[in-house]
Amino acid sequence: MRCLLVLLLTFIPLAHADETFSTSPLDAKVAANAYARATGLSPIEATGGFELRVWTQDYMTGAVAGTVIFHDTQKSFESSSSYNDGNITIKAARLSKPRTVTKLAELKELVAKLEPYDKAFISCGVMDGGSVLIDAAINGHTITFEVANPQFCKDKASQTIVNILDILARP
């Protein structure tokens, strides 16, 4: 019986759970790791390869969406979040089936432009809306930062994020 249980656990993936992180002070890496765990992923690591994770959250509705690019495949997820007493909880979600990434070279080029913004929080003062959290591995290190309402901001990082979101939205 014990062998049967071990065998079953070997082939049945363990469920992942909701993840909570503190918004005070907001640490983008802690938040990115919580998003990753909510989808059953390990935190991103600095490797020689390219990986991109884009997590978006709507401040008003709590809707959460994410896109994960690893090598030449793209997966996505949709979930929800809730806010309570300085903490955000992300509901566990499953990643979609993989599909081939369109414009991978262009994505890599855009993400490379974001390297100077590691650990930054960018906002142009627009209230409500939403945020985009970028977590990437490129050129042997990681980049993690958050931009509030990038579509309303005119700085280079925000406009680069808008370009990335446009590419990821294409079928």
Side-chain angles (χ1 to χ4, degrees):
M1 186 60 135
R2 194 182 227 169
C3 289
L4 180 61
L5 180 61
V6 169
L7 187 60
L8 282 174
L9 290 176
T10 303
F11 293 104
I12 299 172
L14 298 175
H16 44 277
D18 298 351
E19 287 292 328
T20 301
F21 61 93
S22 173
T23 61
S24 180
L26 180 62
D27 181 333
K29 193 61 172 174
V30 170
N33 291 345
Y35 280 110
R37 286 189 305 272
T39 57
L41 296 170
S42 298
I44 204 165
E45 292 184 19
T47 63
F50 175 74
E51 188 169 356
L52 171 64
R53 297 174 183 182
V54 179
W55 314 108
T56 63
Q57 180 188 25
D58 183 299
Y59 294 140
M60 299 303 290
T61 66
V64 172
T67 301
V68 175
I69 306 249
F70 186 70
H71 295 293
D72 64 347
T73 61
Q74 177 175 333
K75 295 180 182 183
S76 60
F77 87 97
E78 291 184 7
S79 186
S80 62
S81 65
S82 59
Y83 177 84
N84 184 18
D85 197 27
N87 294 306
I88 294 176
T89 299
I90 305 154
K91 294 288 182 190
R94 298 243 181 257
L95 289 167
S96 68
K97 292 183 179 183
R99 65 182 176 105
T100 303
V101 177
T102 59
K103 300 199 175 196
L104 182 61
E106 189 175 342
L107 279 172
K108 287 180 180 180
E109 184 179 310
L110 289 168
V111 171
K113 290 179 181 180
L114 298 174
E115 290 184 70
Y117 302 99
D118 186 32
K119 297 179 181 65
F121 175 77
I122 299 168
S123 176
C124 57
V126 176
M127 297 301 291
D128 298 326
S131 68
V132 179
L133 188 109
I134 298 293
D135 197 21
I138 189 167
N139 300 328
H141 65 278
T142 62
I143 305 165
T144 307
F145 72 100
E146 184 175 6
V147 178
N149 300 301
Q151 69 277 21
F152 299 115
C153 301
K154 300 298 180 205
D155 62 278
K156 288 182 182 181
S158 295
Q159 291 307 301
T160 302
I161 298 300
V162 168
N163 291 335
I164 289 171
L165 293 173
D166 286 345
I167 291 170
L168 295 178
R170 296 178 198 159

